C-alpha cells in the first residue's frame, strides 16, 4: 500500500467522500460487511443504513423497540411539527410485517406480527438516485457540502414521482405542504433514539477497520 493511501486511511480528516473513493463504492452499495460491523461489537441484527457527514449510520434491529422517537424528532427538526408519516427515517411503515410486507411465513419475519424485530430504514443516498433521475422538475439535487440527495422545495411540485421511483419508497409527500421530504443526513434521529438502536461509526474508524480487514 502506498504511503499516500496509508496516510489517507489514518488521517483524522478522513471524510465520507475520501472513504467512498478508497472503497470505490457508492453509498447504496456499501462494502461495510457484517464482519466489519462485528469489529465494533455489533451482532448479526445490525445493518449499515446510510452515510452521514460524520460517519456511517448503523441500525441495530435487536435494540429498536418501535417507539418512533426517531420519526418524531426528524419531523420536529426538519418540518417544525410532529408528523411521523413524513419522517425521513421510517419505522412505523414496517411495524407489523418488516420491510418485505406480509408473507406466508410472516411469523418468522420482522415486525410485531412476527419476531418482534423492527426495521428502521432511511435513504441510502444512492450514487445513481432513482428519485432524482425520475423527478420531472429536477428538484432533487446533491447538497454541495454533504453530498446528500436533497429536495429543493421551490422546485418540487409534489407529484410523487420520486416516491414511486425509489425502490424503497423513501421520499414522502407532505400532504400539508405538497412537497417531498427525504433524508438530509442531519443525524437528529440518532441522538433521539433512547435505546441506541441507531448509532454512528466515524469514517476514520470505518476506514481503519476496512484497512485491517484486508490484512
Ligand atoms: S430516495 Fe431512494 S432512490 Fe433516492 S437516493 Fe434515497 S434510496 Fe436512492
Ligand atoms: S427511536 Fe430508536 S428505538 Fe425508537 S423507533 Fe426509532 S430506532 Fe427504534
Amino acid at each position: 500500500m502506498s504511503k499516500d493511501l496509508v496516510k489517507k486511511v489514518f488521517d483524522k480528516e478522513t471524510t465520507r467522500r475520501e472513504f467512498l473513493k478508497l472503497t470505490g463504492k457508492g453509498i447504496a452499495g456499501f462494502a461495510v460487511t457484517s464482519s466489519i460491523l462485528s469489529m465494533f461489537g455489533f451482532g448479526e441484527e445490525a445493518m449499515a443504513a446510510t452515510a452521514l457527514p460524520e460517519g456511517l449510520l448503523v441500525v441495530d434491529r435487536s435494540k429498536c423497540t418501535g417507539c418512533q422517537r426517531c420519526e418524531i424528532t426528524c419531523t420536529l427538526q426538519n418540518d417544525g411539527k410532529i408528523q411521523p408519516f413524513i419522517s425521513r427515517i421510517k419505522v412505523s411503515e414496517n411495524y407489523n410485517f418488516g420491510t418485505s410486507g406480509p408473507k406466508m411465513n410472516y411469523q418468522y419475519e420482522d415486525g410485531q406480527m412476527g419476531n418482534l424485530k423492527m426495521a428502521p430504514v432511511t435513504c441510502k443516498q444512492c450514487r445513481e438516485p432513482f428519485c432524482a433521475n425520475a423527478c420531472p422538475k429536477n428538484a432533487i439535487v446533491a447538497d454541495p457540502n454533504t453530498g446528500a440527495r436533497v429536495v429543493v422545495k421551490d422546485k418540487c411540485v409534489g407529484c410523487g414521482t420520486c416516491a414511486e421511483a425509489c425502490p424503497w419508497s423513501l421520499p414522502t409527500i407532505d400532504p400539508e405542504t405538497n412537497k417531498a421530504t427525504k433524508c438530509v443526513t442531519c443525524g437528529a434521529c440518532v441522538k433521539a433514539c433512547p435505546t441506541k438502536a441507531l448509532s454512528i461509526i466515524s469514517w476514520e474508524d470505518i476506514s481503519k477497520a476496512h484497512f485491517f480487514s484486508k490484512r
Side-chain angles (χ1 to χ4, degrees):
M1 183 179 263
S2 74
K3 276 187 181 168
D4 270 3
L5 191 49
V6 171
K7 185 175 177 301
K8 264 188 181 173
V9 170
F10 291 104
D11 192 338
K12 285 203 184 306
E13 297 304 311
T14 297
T15 65
R16 177 175 62 83
R17 280 174 204 278
E18 284 167 334
F19 171 75
L20 293 175
K21 261 192 256 163
L22 283 172
T23 60
K25 300 279 179 183
I27 300 171
F30 255 142
V32 180
T33 58
S34 53
S35 68
I36 286 189
L37 292 181
S38 71
M39 292 165 82
F40 297 93
F42 290 104
E44 59 186 24
E45 309 293 351
M47 305 176 296
T50 195
L52 302 179
E54 61 271 46
L56 177 72
L57 171 60
V58 179
V59 171
D60 189 341
R61 287 156 58 247
S62 67
K63 290 185 177 170
C64 178
T65 61
C67 71
Q68 294 181 267
R69 295 251 191 111
C70 51
E71 293 183 338
I72 290 167
T73 306
C74 170
T75 63
L76 256 182
Q77 163 132 341
N78 293 295
D79 308 289
K81 57 189 175 185
I82 295 175
Q83 200 166 348
F85 172 70
I86 60 170
S87 173
R88 290 132 186 95
I89 185 160
K90 300 194 180 298
V91 177
S92 44
E93 193 168 275
N94 309 318
Y95 193 82
N96 286 329
F97 293 108
T99 53
S100 49
K103 288 163 78 178
M104 287 295 283
N105 57 344
Y106 67 88
Q107 64 270 41
Y108 303 111
E109 303 284 332
D110 283 359
Q112 289 294 308
M113 303 299 282
N115 61 16
L116 302 180
K117 295 206 170 80
M118 297 289 105
V121 288
T122 190
C123 174
K124 298 158 202 314
Q125 306 295 353
C126 306
R127 176 177 276 185
E128 292 294 336
F130 298 91
C131 56
N133 293 343
C135 175
K137 299 290 179 187
N138 295 324
I140 298 180
V141 300
D143 181 288
N145 296 318
T146 63
R149 315 290 172 182
V150 295
V151 178
V152 181
K153 294 276 188 244
D154 290 348
K155 287 187 174 180
C156 176
V157 292
C159 65
T161 306
C162 54
E164 279 177 34
C166 171
W168 305 275
S169 303
L170 290 170
T172 311
I173 305 302
D174 181 339
E176 289 178 354
T177 63
N178 201 35
K179 305 284 180 190
T181 65
K182 69 179 292 301
C183 180
V184 294
T185 68
C186 69
C189 53
V190 178
K191 295 187 189 100
C193 178
T195 64
K196 302 209 181 323
L198 308 176
S199 55
I200 298 172
I201 311 176
S202 74
W203 292 115
E204 185 193 357
D205 288 345
I206 289 280
S207 297
K208 285 179 188 168
H210 202 261
F211 173 76
F212 285 115
S213 72
K214 299 278 177 210
R215 288 171 67 98

